[in-house]
Amino acid sequence: GNSVTQMEGPVTLSEEAFLTINCTYTATGYPSLFWYVQYPGEGLQLLLKATKADDKGSNKGFEATYRKETTSFHLEKGSVQVSDSAVYFCALKGVTGGGNKLTFGTGTQLKVEL
Amino acid sequence: GAVVSQHPSWVICKSGTSVKIECRSLDFQATTMFWYRQFPKQSLMLMATSNEGSKATYEQGVEKDKFLINHASLTLSTLTVTSAHPEDSSFYICSGTSGNNEQFFGPGTRLTVL
């Protein structure tokens, strides 16, 4: 079945540091890939997505590239801010049935300090 | 993005009682709603998918008689945990799908069963 593995947190960075959160997946065919962000006390929000190999999703300075050869969708940001502190979830939506079902990773908590 | 609310945000109940959690789409019509369960430091696990006016489709291993789901309108779905036990303590999250199939998530409900 489908699965998503992402790096465990918490990840603690200083403001303006470079961020990478690793995400790899297992799925048949070409799933769609997503990064969601959850700020304290709020619901998950879609951060970015990519629907086919070599696509790059980007939003708010975050980027992730769909790498079919390495089954990865790592999240990056060149310069993090304190306001980026949140929990980040990698997810996929498969192509073999299942409709809109999402499979999530365990989430990675990011803490950005001054 | 669209807004989904959940009520209550947290609830404590005695073992053997039933608890109802509401999920509302505030500014869109959710033809499909999803219910997830999240354990500490684990990923969101899909419990069931419900389409407005139809019976919910439960994931393997989820007891449909224990977790009753009602999706009577395009803006409201409810999850009732019947005869709750301490092992049902968890974080329950709902999401709704609008016409473009993006899922919008609620902030979650923390259930503690004593």
Side-chain angles (χ1 to χ4, degrees), chain A residues 3-4 12 19 25 33 35 37 40-41 48-50 61 65-66 71 75-76 79 88 97 107:
Chain A
S3 68
V4 175
T12 303
L19 168 71
Y25 67 90
L33 301 174
W35 276 100
V37 58
L48 53 84
K49 67 179 181 181
T65 301
Y66 189 143
T71 61
L75 182 68
E76 297 182 336
S79 177
Y88 293 82

Side-chain angles (χ1 to χ4, degrees), chain A residues 41-93:
Chain A
E42 299 182 17
L44 276 72
Q45 301 173 24
L46 179 63
L47 180 59
L48 53 84
K49 67 179 181 181
T51 58
K52 61 182 186 294
D54 299 325
D55 264 3
K56 177 185 285 187
S58 61
N59 185 27
K60 300 181 180 179
F62 291 89
E63 294 182 340
T65 301
Y66 189 143
R67 300 290 188 197
K68 180 66 176 176
E69 63 276 14
T70 54
T71 61
S72 65
F73 193 54
H74 304 321
L75 182 68
E76 297 182 336
K77 186 174 185 181
S79 177
V80 293
Q81 305 299 312
V82 172
S83 58
D84 293 326
S85 298
V87 180
Y88 293 82
F89 292 90
C90 185
L92 71 81
K93 185 162 68 176

